């Protein structure tokens, strides 16, 4: 027998996993060059810094490319696996939410 609190928690988890899958789809699209990533991708925040501080922040910032997969396995990037796992977990929690609601 599912409690209302449990049912709500399962619905919220389902939504969170679907949102995670959506973000991962966006990231795969950036990696595959289907669309551009966000401007914050790999960028350095420079607002409010003195010129010397800006130069230091730019020179010391690590270069992180959002359009290049960090690693792949069997031709699928980490973001691609994230889609698979997030959708599987969304399906699992969705089923649990339906069962909890019915009980």
């Amino acid at each position: 027998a599912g409690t209302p609190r449990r049912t709500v928690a399962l619905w919220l988890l389902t939504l969170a996993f679907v949102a995670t899958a959506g973000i991962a789809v966006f990231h795969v699209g950036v990696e595959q060059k289907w669309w551009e990533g966000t401007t914050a991708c790999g960028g350095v925040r420079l607002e409010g810094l003195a010129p010397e501080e800006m130069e230091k922040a730019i020179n010391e910032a690590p270069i992180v490319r959002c359009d290049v997969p960090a690693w792949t396995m069997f031709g699928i990037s980490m973001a691609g696996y994230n889609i698979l796992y997030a959708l599987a977990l969304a399906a699992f929690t969705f089923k649990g939410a339906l069962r909890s609601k019915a009980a």
Side-chain angles (χ1 to χ4, degrees), residues 4-62:
R5 190 179 299 180
R6 178 182 174 180
T7 304
V8 169
L10 287 168
W11 281 115
L12 290 175
L13 282 170
T14 301
L15 288 174
F17 289 132
V18 168
T20 298
I23 293 167
V25 167
F26 175 76
H27 195 155
V28 168
V30 172
E31 291 175 346
Q32 296 298 317
K33 315 241 184 326
W34 295 335
W35 47 73
E36 271 189 48
T38 62
T39 56
C41 182
V44 177
R45 295 254 181 220
L46 301 175
E47 295 90 16
L49 297 179
E52 298 82 22
E53 295 171 320
M54 283 184 193
E55 182 179 6
K56 182 178 179 187
I58 291 170
N59 290 331
E60 293 178 358

